[in-house]
Amino acid sequence: MEWLWIAVATCVLVPHSVKGNDWWGEYEEGIRHYSKEALNKEFPEKTRPASFKHPVFQCPDMSPSPTVPSSVEFVKAADIKVIAALGDSLTTSIGANATTVLGIPIEFRHVSWSIGGYGSFQDVITLANIIKLFNPNLVGAAPGKTVHGMQGHISETGFNLAVTGHNTFNLPGQTRHLIDTLRGYEGLNFEEDWKLLTILMGMNDICDYCKDKALFSADNFIHYMTVSLEMLMNEVPRMIVNVAQILPMQTLREVQKPTPGCLLQRSFCSCLIEPVAGSPELRELVEVNLEFQKKLEELLHSDRFFRDNFAVVHQPFLKHADPPRLPSGKIDMTFFTHDCFHFTIKGHEELAKGLWNNMFQPEGGKMIVNSFSDPITLTCPPMDHPYIFTRPIAARSDLPPLQSDAPSKAAILLLSLLVGRLCLV
C-alpha cells in the first residue's frame, strides 16, 4: 500500500511541465524520506497540534421544530436530516491535511469546510460538524479520505460527491449522481427528510479560461449551473441549496514560496499564474472572474429557484475575500497546502464559519468577508428568526412579482375608467 501512495503522488506531480533539475532532485529526496505514517498523520503541526480543541459552541435554541416543517421558510438547523456537497478540489479538500508535498493527491474529505464529518466541532469546524451540534443524527457528512483519481466508496465520501479537477460543465453529472444516490440510500426518507446541499463551482473554469474561452465563458458557467439547479428543483423535495459565491482569484498569485510544491500552482491554474503582471491577459481574466460573480448573483437574486419545499440561496461571503496575511502584509502560508493553492484545515474552517453565518442572515444583510486575516466569529441563529433564510427579495409579499403577464388591479381599474369615459362621449 505504501508504494501505491508514492505512485499516485508521482502520477500527479511528475507530468506537469516544470523545468529544472532542482525540482526533480528535491522530489526524489522527498520520496526517499517518505513514510506512510507521515503521509497519513492527522493534524500536522502546520495546522495545529493533535491535542488542540475548539471551545464549545452553544446557542440559546438548538432544538428542532415541534413538527417536521412543510415550508422551506421555516427550517431550523436541527431540522436538517441530510447534508451533501458538490464542487471541485476545494470541496474534496485535496491536500488539506498533508504532511508533505506527497500528500497533495489525498482528498481529506472528512475535514472539508461544507461537509467534513471528522470527529466533532471541537476537533474540526465544518458546516456538517456545526449542524451535528443541533442534530447529532445528521446523515451524509464525509467520514474519510480518498485519493484523487481513484473511485471512492460512499463509506469514505459520505454525500461529498465533489470531484477534484471538475469544471462547471461537469456539474450536471455530479448532480445526477447525487440525486440517484439520495434516492437509493437506505435509512434516508427521500420525500420527507430536509436536505442541505452546498455547491461551490467555477474556479477551475477561470483557471482554464485561456485554454478555451468559449467553453469556459461566463455564459456557459451560468448555463450548466442553471441546468443543475433545475434538475434538483424538479426532482428533489425538501432541499435547501447553498450556492457559494466564487473567490476573487487574482490575489492567489501572491501565494508563493521557493519550494517544489509551489511550482504545482502553475499546473493547477496556469491561466491565472502564467500571465505577466499588468498584462492584457491577466486583466481579461480578472474581468472574467468579476463577470462570473455578477452573473451568478443575477441568476440567484430572483425567485426562479424558490418553491414551498425547495430553495436555492446565494451565499456571498467569499465575494471580496483576500487571502489571510501576517502583520507584515505577507501571505499567511499556514492557511495554504504544500501546493500553494488549496486551503489547509485552517482555511476550511474559516469557509465553514462564513457559510454558516450567511445561512442565518437575510438577503441584503449577509456578511461578506474582506480578509481572512482575522478569524470569523461564529454566530447563533437569531432568536426572532431561528430559521435558515431562504426567501429571496423577489419573492417577498410586499414587493411586486419578478415577472407577471397578468394586468394589475390598478391597471384594470384605470382601463375601466377610460372605457367608461369613452362610452359617455
Side-chain angles (χ1 to χ4, degrees):
M1 179 59 76
E2 180 172 340
W3 286 103
L4 173 62
W5 289 104
I6 294 177
V8 172
T10 304
C11 288
V12 171
L13 300 177
V14 171
H16 301 298
S17 56
V18 181
K19 299 178 180 179
N21 294 328
D22 290 345
W23 155 260
W24 182 243
E26 291 187 50
Y27 177 71
E28 286 187 319
E29 181 69 14
I31 289 180
R32 281 195 290 273
H33 291 284
Y34 165 86
S35 75
K36 183 179 178 182
E37 180 182 358
L39 188 61
N40 288 297
K41 180 182 177 183
E42 294 291 357
F43 302 109
E45 195 65 31
K46 180 176 181 180
T47 302
R48 63 169 67 102
S51 60
F52 177 89
K53 294 290 182 183
H54 286 289
V56 174
F57 179 60
Q58 187 74 28
C59 292
D61 179 10
M62 302 182 74
S63 62
S65 300
T67 58
V68 178
S70 58
S71 169
V72 75
E73 294 188 72
F74 299 103
V75 179
K76 301 171 69 175
D79 296 326
I80 297 295
K81 301 291 182 62
V82 182
I83 193 165
L86 302 176
D88 52 31
S89 56
L90 194 56
T91 298
T92 66
S93 199
I94 197 164
N97 204 28
T99 308
T100 70
V101 68
L102 295 174
I104 292 173
I106 303 177
E107 297 164 332
F108 295 87
R109 294 176 188 262
H110 61 334
V111 298
S112 174
W113 62 289
S114 59
I115 192 170
Y118 178 85
S120 68
F121 172 88
Q122 288 189 274
D123 297 310
V124 182
I125 298 176
T126 70
L127 181 63
N129 278 351
I130 299 171
I131 294 177
K132 279 159 61 178
L133 296 173
F134 294 74
N135 176 17
N137 298 316
L138 183 72
V139 173
K145 294 171 281 191
T146 52
V147 181
H148 172 50
M150 300 181 67
Q151 185 67 40
H153 190 265
I154 196 166
S155 62
E156 301 165 317
T157 65
F159 295 149
N160 181 349
L161 301 186
V163 180
T164 297
H166 266 193
N167 298 93
T168 309
F169 67 74
N170 300 116
L171 187 57
Q174 286 190 28
T175 303
R176 172 51 54 203
H177 185 196
L178 176 64
I179 294 172
D180 293 345
T181 301
L182 293 176
R183 282 187 186 278
Y185 192 80
E186 187 176 352
L188 185 157
N189 189 326
F190 185 76
E191 297 295 330
E192 298 296 325
D193 289 347
W194 280 101
K195 311 158 198 73
L196 179 67
L197 168 64
T198 300
I199 300 174
L200 176 56
M201 188 69 106
M203 271 88 77
N204 283 344
D205 296 41
I206 293 168
C207 284
D208 293 334
Y209 174 73
C210 64
K211 301 172 187 176
D212 191 331
K213 295 183 180 181
L215 178 60
F216 300 118
S217 67
D219 286 340
N220 258 1
F221 164 63
I222 293 301
H223 168 72
Y224 290 111
M225 184 69 72
T226 301
V227 168
S228 302
L229 295 176
E230 287 183 342
M231 287 170 61
L232 291 165
M233 181 173 64
N234 293 332
E235 298 187 46
V236 185
R238 295 195 172 181
M239 174 174 271
I240 297 171
V241 183
N242 291 319
V243 176
Q245 182 60 279
I246 64 172
L247 288 154
M249 298 179 65
Q250 183 179 10
T251 50
L252 289 175
R253 289 165 55 93
E254 299 179 49
V255 184
Q256 291 290 338
K257 282 181 72 177
T259 61
C262 277
L263 294 176
L264 290 170
Q265 216 191 42
R266 189 177 301 275
S267 297
F268 289 137
C269 199
S270 58
C271 295
L272 174 70
I273 304 302
E274 289 185 355
V276 176
S279 65
E281 293 82 6
L282 182 59
R283 288 197 298 270
E284 181 181 5
L285 197 69
V286 171
E287 287 300 315
V288 169
N289 196 159
L290 291 172
E291 188 178 4
F292 271 52
Q293 291 184 327
K294 180 181 178 182
K295 285 183 178 292
L296 186 62
E297 289 178 356
E298 291 172 351
L299 175 68
L300 301 181
H301 284 180
S302 71
D303 58 357
R304 178 173 183 170
F305 302 107
F306 179 77
R307 301 288 186 271
D308 288 342
N309 68 350
F310 182 91
V312 177
V313 188
H314 178 245
Q315 309 295 13
F317 67 102
L318 289 174
K319 183 178 180 179
H320 300 308
D322 188 57
R325 299 178 185 274
L326 300 169
S328 64
K330 293 183 178 181
I331 299 293
D332 184 348
M333 296 301 293
T334 63
F335 280 80
F336 293 92
T337 61
H338 295 279
D339 61 19
C340 297
F341 190 76
H342 296 97
F343 288 129
T344 60
I345 292 174
K346 287 177 69 173
H348 279 271
E349 290 190 324
E350 295 306 305
L351 298 185
K353 291 187 288 184
L355 176 58
W356 167 266
N357 286 356
N358 266 188
M359 286 170 55
F360 293 95
Q361 295 163 338
E363 186 177 353
K366 293 182 182 289
M367 170 196 72
I368 296 179
V369 177
N370 290 317
S371 173
F372 284 118
S373 299
D374 298 319
I376 296 172
T377 300
L378 204 61
T379 60
C380 288
M383 291 297 292
D384 61 345
H385 190 283
Y387 314 108
I388 299 169
F389 277 91
T390 57
R391 192 174 186 86
I393 290 177
R396 289 183 184 172
S397 58
D398 58 338
L399 293 176
L402 188 66
Q403 291 180 339
S404 178
D405 296 327
S408 67
K409 290 182 179 179
I412 293 173
L413 178 61
L414 179 60
L415 183 60
S416 300
L417 291 172
L418 290 172
V419 172
R421 289 179 64 85
L422 288 172
C423 291
L424 291 174
V425 175

